Amino acid sequence: MTPRPPIATYRVQLTPDFGFAQVIGILGHLRDLGVSHLYLSPIGTAVTGSTHGYDWLPPPEVAPILGGLDGLRELRTAAKDHQIGIIIDIVPNHTGVADVPANPWFADLLRNGPASPYRDYFDVDFSRDNGADGKIALPILAADGDLTPLRVDDGGYLRYHDHALPIAAGTESGTPQQVHDRQHYRLVPWNSGLIGYRRFFTVNELAAVRQEDPAVYAATHRWLAQLVAEDLIDGVRVDHPDGLWDPQGYLRRLRDDLGPHRLIYIEKILAPDEPLEPSLPVQGTTGYDQLRVIDAVFVAPSGTIELAETHERITGVSGDSAWLISTEHTRKLTTLTESFAAEQRRLVAAVAHSTHDDRREDMVTDADLGRACAELIARLGVYRADYPVLHDRLLTTIGEIEQAQPLLRPALTVIGRATSIPGPASARLAQTCGAVTAKSVEDSLFYRTARLVSAQEVGGDPTHPSLDVAQFHAHNVHRARDWPAAMTASSTHDTKRGEDVRARIALLSQIPERWSLTVARIWQLTPPPDDLTGYFLLQNIFGVWPADGGAVPTSLRHRLDDYARKAAREAGLRTSWTAVDEAFESALSDWIAAVTDGPAAEVIGALVARMASSWEQEALARKAIALLGPGVGDIYQGTQWWEDSLVDPDNRRPVDYSAPTDHPKTQLIRAALGLRAAHPDAFGINGRYLPLVAEGAAADHVIGFARATTAGPAIALITARFTHSLRPASAANTHVILPAGEWRDIRTGAVHRSVVDLATARADHPVALLEAVGAN
């Protein structure tokens, strides 16, 4: 039996306190919203104390702490009773190794080294020139490399503070340092640049898994096969497939195992000019690409120019497109050197090995290859370029570097040959490029600039934060045609800011002069300890301020303190995770206390209150577009109400499901999903997206589109952007051309023919939802 296509997903972050039994308790609420599929965070057994589940432990199984397999069966039965499907998050790229004894595969690898049956499960560097004499380098020592704290405990583990490490048989005698010297691993300083296994980005506690090995795939997916055999799930979300050796091959095998009808979504971050590989056997991405497009159409382009001027006045640099492009390039080169030295060395070795004769003939050294690989990674602009659709991009980028830096031409020629066919060189280039891109851009650069922080999002494009309506519609026409079932994200467990926070911050592009005056006044009243950090934080403070402009509660002030500490450390300019400046962080905390109370708070609160109406209108508009535009809208837990979340762990706070359901956002979701459920064919593989044309003084404010079946248009949405400057007279004199026939407003019952003015369409609600009369 073919399952029904998804209408909307609802993401739930499972925890020991909110497992399968608790999810059963909210199914009625989700059914009333119109949700078709639960979308669960990882359900496997994870490291003790895990708050997210991405650090799963082998052998994989449904976590007993969440309810176990029986609990999942009960959830499946209850969900079916509510006609709700289940999608689960799977993590093929890595496993948790923070607690080595709890991970039997990794523990066996450390105990037995190359003789371990799990040697090929992990991407381990046993080469003699790996910096650890062929042993597995574990970067857990203090910077001075002192082994004095080592001891052997009563359980037979070698201990270094909280780390417990297995000991090979027959090596137990002698001093702790002598025991250490006999092991298949070597402890090295945390800042040595050495690590003996591939990781998830720079997280040493997450060891990469070699899914390209059939035995490893079988061992890590046996549990999933059981869930499919029992029909306990309707699909999966694949975490970070770009980290795999061969994501295309992995996804083809996964599709074979899941069958043709189960859903597969991939967490892939697409660059603004990057298409998703059309041959992938998936429904689409998890939707950061669509999040970027929806956000950008609500950013006023003229305002970003003035915001750059304010940024330059405050920080000394403009933070504009040219600065961002240049700085991103520099950050990538620095990040590769500082954080991925081991990965770069293995990449160069792979290139050198695969083109040994060519390299010798061209007189190319390893140092030449290292510089050329670094430059290529810094310029590619995508996570990985080994997808067929991106082949020309790789060649073009190599050509551009050759033109700019002729001395690198021989090395680039060698790299081009080595990566022209699938293999170690192309895979390591792709894996390293993705990791460097994520850590240098999303987790570094996006904390070091603040022209408009709402655009500094996962998959975001702060270099071009705005999008005109014509571009918006063109994108959606293609998405409806090519990826009609792809997910549309608005908020996730990984977004830097929640959807409503971004919606308010984006309003600054509509009031750049007023914002500039506000900033100047706050700097006069309460100057921050660092201008850039303060300006970055101030936009976020504005974004999470209570909606009525009132006083900031103590709980929010504490959350802002936590956020400021994380943001400043991620930026790494005045403090960092590895070199904490307690005095600076204390000064930041004092500044936040001053800004959120007293005269400065009155200034911010007044601006929030002034923009409250525009914020609500545009937050609702964004949500409606996400649910009725091309793709499948994902509702992150709790975002059926106003939400004020910042980056994790703030966005993973428990949700109060007892909140009233007569909320404006809840009502909008219910109406939009009801309309979608009534016309499924308009959103399916044969559905169409039809832009609506607007004429008149406020035409540039209008966002309108219809969704159509092969029989004709079925539903239409009309809303507005830049609402702060939208005057009633202009709206009344702006007309939206409707498709032929009669259109009924599902809220008011009013019927429109051929045309409706913007004021009339939005008289009852910021978002007009229309249904073609007779479409049912």
Side-chain angles (χ1 to χ4, degrees), residues 291-632:
L291 180 155
R292 179 188 69 245
V293 168
I294 294 173
D295 277 14
V297 80
F298 285 91
V299 174
S302 60
T304 60
I305 297 173
E306 295 185 60
L307 289 174
E309 294 171 355
T310 300
H311 189 279
E312 186 166 16
R313 174 171 59 82
I314 295 293
T315 69
V317 296
S318 66
D320 62 6
S321 299
W323 182 89
L324 284 163
I325 292 169
S326 173
T327 306
E328 177 178 326
H329 180 265
T330 302
R331 286 306 304 153
K332 286 180 176 178
L333 293 176
T334 302
T335 300
L336 179 62
T337 300
E338 293 182 350
S339 301
F340 295 98
E343 288 81 357
Q344 184 181 22
R345 187 185 66 251
R346 298 183 77 182
L347 166 58
V348 168
V351 172
H353 179 76
S354 63
T355 58
H356 182 268
D357 293 337
D358 293 335
R359 185 170 69 113
R360 183 174 56 193
E361 182 179 315
D362 294 332
M363 300 296 290
V364 175
T365 66
D366 283 358
D368 295 332
L369 290 177
R371 286 190 293 271
C373 284
E375 194 62 35
L376 185 56
I377 287 169
R379 286 180 180 251
L380 268 172
V382 294
Y383 266 49
R384 61 187 298 159
D386 59 342
Y387 293 101
V389 73
L390 296 179
H391 179 68
D392 289 346
R393 187 187 192 111
L394 179 61
L395 297 179
T396 298
T397 303
I398 289 175
E400 291 172 349
I401 299 171
E402 288 176 341
Q403 286 289 105
Q405 301 186 48
L407 292 178
L408 292 179
R409 182 174 287 116
L412 288 165
T413 299
V414 172
I415 294 169
R417 292 171 187 162
T419 58
S420 62
I421 57 174
S426 61
R428 292 214 180 276
L429 174 62
Q431 289 175 317
T432 306
C433 187
V436 170
T437 298
K439 293 308 296 181
S440 59
V441 179
E442 295 167 12
D443 294 341
S444 177
L445 176 60
F446 283 4
Y447 288 95
R448 291 181 168 212
T449 187
R451 174 171 61 166
L452 184 65
V453 301
S454 58
Q456 292 159 209
E457 189 51 80
V458 178
D461 183 19
T463 60
H464 301 95
S466 62
L467 197 69
D468 67 39
V469 173
Q471 293 171 315
F472 171 79
H473 286 315
H475 168 89
N476 283 336
V477 167
H478 287 293
R479 193 175 204 243
R481 180 194 65 201
D482 299 337
W483 300 102
M487 198 176 281
T488 296
S490 298
S491 300
T492 78
H493 61 288
D494 280 332
T495 43
K496 307 298 184 186
R497 297 155 200 88
E499 60 202 57
D500 298 333
V501 177
R502 297 196 315 276
R504 184 184 289 159
I505 295 171
L507 293 175
L508 299 178
S509 69
Q510 299 180 42
I511 55 166
E513 293 182 15
R514 184 175 297 278
W515 173 246
S516 180
L517 293 172
T518 299
V519 175
R521 179 59 176 154
I522 291 171
W523 256 237
Q524 182 183 44
L525 291 168
T526 316
D530 176 74
D531 286 330
L532 173 57
T533 307
Y535 190 55
F536 175 92
L537 292 174
L538 185 63
Q539 291 184 46
N540 291 283
I541 291 169
F542 173 73
V544 301
W545 202 273
D548 61 0
V552 172
T554 301
S555 59
L556 177 55
R557 190 172 294 117
H558 290 327
R559 288 171 48 213
L560 284 168
D561 267 346
D562 292 341
Y563 174 74
R565 186 180 307 109
K566 176 171 182 174
R569 291 181 182 181
E570 292 282 24
L573 295 172
R574 295 290 304 272
T575 185
S576 71
W577 295 108
T578 55
V580 173
D581 185 330
E582 294 183 358
F584 176 72
E585 293 184 2
S586 177
L588 269 186
S589 181
D590 292 342
W591 180 73
I592 288 171
V595 165
T596 54
D597 192 18
E602 293 176 6
V603 173
I604 300 172
L607 185 61
V608 169
R610 184 184 185 93
M611 301 304 294
S613 175
S614 292
W615 168 69
E616 181 169 337
Q617 292 178 63
E618 298 194 19
L620 292 174
R622 288 164 176 247
K623 197 66 175 179
I625 292 169
L627 297 176
L628 293 174
V632 176

Side-chain angles (χ1 to χ4, degrees), residues 622-677:
R622 288 164 176 247
K623 197 66 175 179
I625 292 169
L627 297 176
L628 293 174
V632 176
D634 174 47
I635 304 166
Y636 185 68
Q637 62 176 28
T639 61
Q640 60 267 51
W641 298 284
W642 300 134
E643 59 84 41
D644 62 354
S645 63
L646 293 164
V647 75
D648 68 278
D650 191 68
N651 57 16
R652 301 176 188 180
R653 288 170 292 143
V655 176
D656 178 10
Y657 286 100
S658 67
T661 56
D662 59 350
H663 187 277
K665 212 171 170 190
T666 310
Q667 292 176 329
L668 173 70
I669 292 170
R670 189 181 297 118
L673 296 186
L675 200 56
R676 183 166 182 147

